Amino acid sequence: MTRRRFYLVIAPALPFICGAAAVIMITSDVIAISLNPGYDPLRESISDLVLLPNGWLEEWGMAAAGIANAFLAGLMISSDAGRRYRGLLVSGGLFAASTVCFGVIIIFNTDPGTAVTTVAGGIHVAAVILLAVLFPVTGLVLARSVRGFPDAAAVGNLARIMAVIGAVVAWQVLPIHEDTFIGLSERFLSGVGLAWMVFAGGHLPGLLEGLDRASRGAADQISASYKR
């Protein structure tokens, strides 16, 4: 399948992919919490829930979000606009890195309270912190790439909100800080991240097409000026 064909297949399906990923992740979290009545979703990390009975539900939810990230990355990298705007390629690369972080978090399951005592735990915590950083950075880079187009401001504002929440989450998973409401912080960040992902899934194809048309129009104007 060529790059262009991949783009044409993914673009119309992206809203469904991102929406389905959000529904799967939220539903998996709610069901997993309900099946573990001793678990406190406000004060205990999502990573704690993965280690409890039926924790595989949470892993499915994370996997769904990671897959949606992979499709977002593929869409930007395969788009014609991505070949002309470096920011889109950077955004696509950051989405791909986020996908890897989701995979690392799923593979290296650990209790954040004892994470620093093991290599696997340290990798897990590092991936969580990196993921909390990558989401808002990706959004800001993407917003800058599509500035001047409809919905660019909304993309940037959601990214700024995630940056603040991400800083809180990163602080709480550091070993120097005692966890308080890390479960609430993680779920708040995940909720904003999912909202941003669904928004991007529904609007990114149109934004990319708009950028592509604008770049083609500018190229045609330059070509016409040379012909004169």
Side-chain angles (χ1 to χ4, degrees):
M1 181 180 291
T2 64
R3 178 190 59 79
R4 181 62 180 171
R5 287 179 180 174
F6 177 83
Y7 175 83
L8 292 175
V9 170
I10 294 301
L14 193 62
F16 171 77
I17 292 172
C18 292
V23 171
I24 292 172
M25 190 168 185
I26 294 172
T27 303
S28 297
D29 187 55
V30 171
I31 295 176
I33 291 173
S34 66
L35 294 176
N36 292 281
Y39 172 80
D40 186 349
L42 301 182
R43 295 181 178 273
E44 296 184 67
S45 171
I46 295 175
S47 298
D48 292 343
L49 184 58
V50 172
L51 298 175
L52 297 176
N54 301 297
W56 56 269
L57 286 165
E58 200 69 41
E59 292 185 328
W60 278 24
M62 292 182 185
I67 291 171
N69 269 271
F71 279 113
L72 284 166
L75 184 81
M76 284 186 280
I77 294 173
S78 65
S79 68
D80 290 336
R83 301 174 65 185
R84 297 182 176 92
Y85 294 87
R86 183 176 299 178
L88 288 177
L89 287 179
V90 173
S91 298
L94 292 174
F95 267 122
S98 299
T99 302
V100 174
C101 286
F102 274 111
V104 170
I105 291 171
I106 293 171
I107 294 172
F108 295 96
N109 291 331
T110 187
D111 179 356
T114 60
V116 294
T117 63
T118 65
V119 174
I123 294 174
H124 179 96
V125 170
V128 170
I129 295 175
L130 183 57
L131 191 60
V133 172
L134 282 175
F135 260 103
V137 170
T138 304
L140 292 172
V141 172
L142 180 59
R144 183 174 178 82
S145 301
V146 299
R147 64 185 182 279
F149 285 81
D151 303 321
V155 172
N157 289 335
L158 283 171
R160 293 181 184 92
I161 294 173
M162 284 193 295
V164 175
I165 303 170
V168 174
V169 173
W171 168 250
Q172 292 204 68
V173 299
L174 289 174
I176 61 173
H177 186 269
E178 183 179 355
D179 294 342
T180 52
F181 289 96
I182 187 170
L184 176 62
S185 299
E186 287 182 345
R187 285 177 172 82
F188 193 16
L189 177 64
S190 298
V192 176
L194 289 175
W196 188 85
M197 184 175 67
V198 171
F199 179 87
H203 293 78
L204 189 57
L207 285 171
L208 293 176
E209 288 298 324
L211 284 170
D212 188 39
R213 286 194 298 268
S215 62
R216 286 201 305 265
D220 291 342
Q221 289 180 357
I222 294 174
S223 177
S225 66
Y226 277 113
K227 289 179 180 179
R228 295 194 191 104

